[in-house]
């Protein structure tokens, strides 16, 4: 097994590495530590060429510092950050603040983190709508073409994407959504592919539930390929031509997460169908309703407004 160097051509003409390092630490604005900076430096020095972050993670300064300290030229690194929901009415200001914190010359992709807008003090608001926010992002790209190379979204469904595409003159380069064996998002990926939008998988290992990495069948595959369950899962996602952004601050797991076996077609089929087992098909991220009791309000919007499949506890 060697380091995965697969890249995809985006609809804006740039290439995006299939594997990125996630930097979500599990809580909003968590204190970004020296430890985290060192793990990002390690990842870059060992071959990662894509870092995924967001304003709301509270770690942009650390990410920028790690990139500058890594010794890897900026031009070789693909850097993604995201617009906080509180700033849909203040896109330019938010972007320039992220640029200042990252201090990394330019951003490869700037994503609308969620379709939902919040007020500056975090209250739910119906405006701007996602298409309105997208038009502000397009205006940003036109004003600063050298600072923002591409635009994308996160947590969009077919429904919210349809609305956005009605007004868009720039098609999002990626849609970043929760994807793992219990939520393969086959239909959404198909829809995005049909529109030239690459899907990025967040929480590609399933965030909080051991049902995936401790599953007996996945562990059997790990044994067959002489690797870990995480490597099997990530290999499957990349075999589907998706981007994965596993987060880890453990040096051994950071290396595992970019080194995959080549899966046999029957094993890819098994993982494609993994979600079909009783009680398996569900979201795992807590914010998305992946709690034992489930819920269907996410940042003030119902699943129906989001265009998400209802979550059922089986
Ligand atoms: P750690 O940072 O200690 O490695 P996701 O990116 O799907 O949200 O998952 C992140 C979680 O999975 C983190 O808790 C991370 O912990 C853990 N993790 C990351 N890589 C692996 C791996 N290869 N094997 C097991 N757990 C992993």
């Amino acid at each position: 097994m060697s380091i995965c160097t697969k890249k995809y051509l985006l609809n804006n003409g740039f290439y995006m590495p299939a594997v990125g390092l996630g930097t979500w630490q599990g809580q909003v604005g968590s204190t970004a530590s020296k430890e985290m900076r060192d793990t990002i430096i390690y990842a870059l020095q060992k071959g990662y060429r894509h870092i995924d972050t967001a304003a709301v993670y509270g770690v942009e300064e650390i990410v920028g510092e790690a990139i500058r300290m890594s010794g890897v030229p900026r031009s070789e690194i693909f850097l993604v950050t995201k617009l906080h929901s509180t700033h849909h009415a203040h896109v330019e200001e938010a972007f320039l603040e992220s640029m200042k914190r990252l201090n990394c010359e330019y951003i490869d992709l700037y994503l609308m983190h969620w379709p939902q807008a919040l007020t500056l003090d975090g209250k739910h608001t119906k405006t701007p709508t996602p298409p309105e926010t997208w038009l502000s992002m397009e205006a940003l790209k036109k004003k600063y073409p050298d600072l923002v190379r591409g635009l994308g979204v996160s947590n969009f469904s077919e429904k919210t994407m349809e609305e956005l595409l009605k007004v868009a003159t720039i098609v999002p380069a990626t849609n970043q959504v929760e994807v793992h064996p219990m939520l393969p998002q086959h239909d959404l990926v198909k829809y995005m592919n049909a529109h030239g939008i690459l899907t990025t998988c967040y929480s590609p290992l399933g965030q909080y539930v051991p049902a995936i990495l401790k599953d007996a069948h996945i562990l059997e595959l790990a044994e067959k390929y002489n690797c870990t369950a995480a490597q099997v899962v990530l290999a499957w996602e990349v075999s589907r031509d998706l981007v994965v952004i596993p987060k880890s601050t453990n040096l051994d797991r950071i290396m595992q997460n970019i080194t995959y076996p080549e899966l046999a077609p029957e094993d890819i089929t098994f993982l494609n169908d993994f979600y079909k087992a009783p009680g398996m098909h569900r979201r795992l991220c807590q914010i998305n309703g992946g709690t034992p009791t489930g819920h269907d309000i996410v940042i003030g919007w119902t699943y129906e407004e989001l265009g998400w499949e209802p979550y059922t506890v089986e």
Side-chain angles (χ1 to χ4, degrees), residues 6-191:
K6 188 170 176 178
K7 288 179 181 183
Y8 308 110
L9 180 61
L10 297 172
N11 62 16
N12 66 354
F14 288 94
Y15 282 90
M16 181 172 192
V19 189
L21 183 71
T23 61
W24 166 237
Q25 296 294 285
Q27 61 191 91
V28 173
S30 59
T31 315
S33 61
K34 180 179 169 299
E35 183 207 8
M36 187 193 172
R37 186 191 70 195
D38 291 346
T39 57
I40 299 171
I41 294 173
Y42 176 84
L44 287 168
Q45 290 177 344
K46 291 290 183 180
Y48 278 76
R49 288 295 177 266
H50 165 187
I51 310 285
D52 180 272
T53 191
V56 76
Y57 301 167
V59 299
E60 285 177 313
E61 279 177 14
I62 287 284
V63 167
E65 202 181 332
I67 289 176
R68 292 192 303 280
M69 288 174 73
S70 70
V72 178
R74 171 69 188 90
S75 57
E76 287 184 20
I77 299 168
F78 195 95
L79 177 60
V80 179
T81 194
K82 311 185 193 84
L83 171 71
H84 192 343
S85 282
T86 51
H87 281 68
H88 284 200
H90 307 275
V91 169
E92 181 175 351
E93 182 191 330
F95 174 77
L96 293 175
E97 279 170 11
S98 279
M99 280 295 298
K100 200 164 149 196
R101 285 189 293 266
L102 285 160
N103 187 14
C104 273
E105 299 172 44
Y106 60 91
I107 306 293
D108 289 275
L109 280 182
Y110 194 48
L111 311 188
M112 191 189 318
H113 203 150
W114 290 90
Q116 304 93 313
L118 298 173
T119 59
L120 279 174
D121 56 355
K123 303 213 169 58
H124 301 302
T125 169
K126 291 285 176 202
T127 55
T129 63
E132 286 167 346
T133 303
W134 185 253
L135 291 180
S136 302
M137 292 175 72
E138 288 192 355
L140 175 85
K141 165 113 182 74
K142 281 177 193 133
K143 186 164 175 185
Y144 301 104
D146 297 335
L147 298 188
V148 54
R149 288 196 166 172
L151 297 175
V153 296
S154 181
N155 295 298
F156 273 58
S157 61
E158 285 190 34
K159 176 179 168 167
T160 45
M161 187 61 84
E162 284 277 323
E163 290 299 312
L164 184 148
L165 291 178
K166 280 184 198 159
V167 305
T169 59
I170 299 173
V171 174
T174 192
N175 179 31
Q176 186 181 120
V177 289
E178 181 179 342
V179 177
H180 42 69
M182 289 167 74
L183 191 74
Q185 304 268 30
H186 291 304
D187 292 342
L188 187 63
V189 169
K190 209 166 147 191
Y191 172 90

Side-chain angles (χ1 to χ4, degrees), residues 22-25 35 48 179-180 201-208 213 228-231 234 245-258 285:
T23 61
W24 166 237
Q25 296 294 285
E35 183 207 8
Y48 278 76
V179 177
H180 42 69
C201 316
Y202 73 71
S203 292
L205 300 171
Q207 220 173 12
Y208 297 107
L213 297 188
T228 66
Q231 286 169 299
L234 295 168
I245 48 165
K247 170 260 156 190
S248 180
T249 43
N250 172 286
L251 301 189
D252 180 44
R253 291 194 282 276
I254 284 176
M255 285 318 293
Q256 279 181 35
N257 293 350
I258 195 169
C285 289

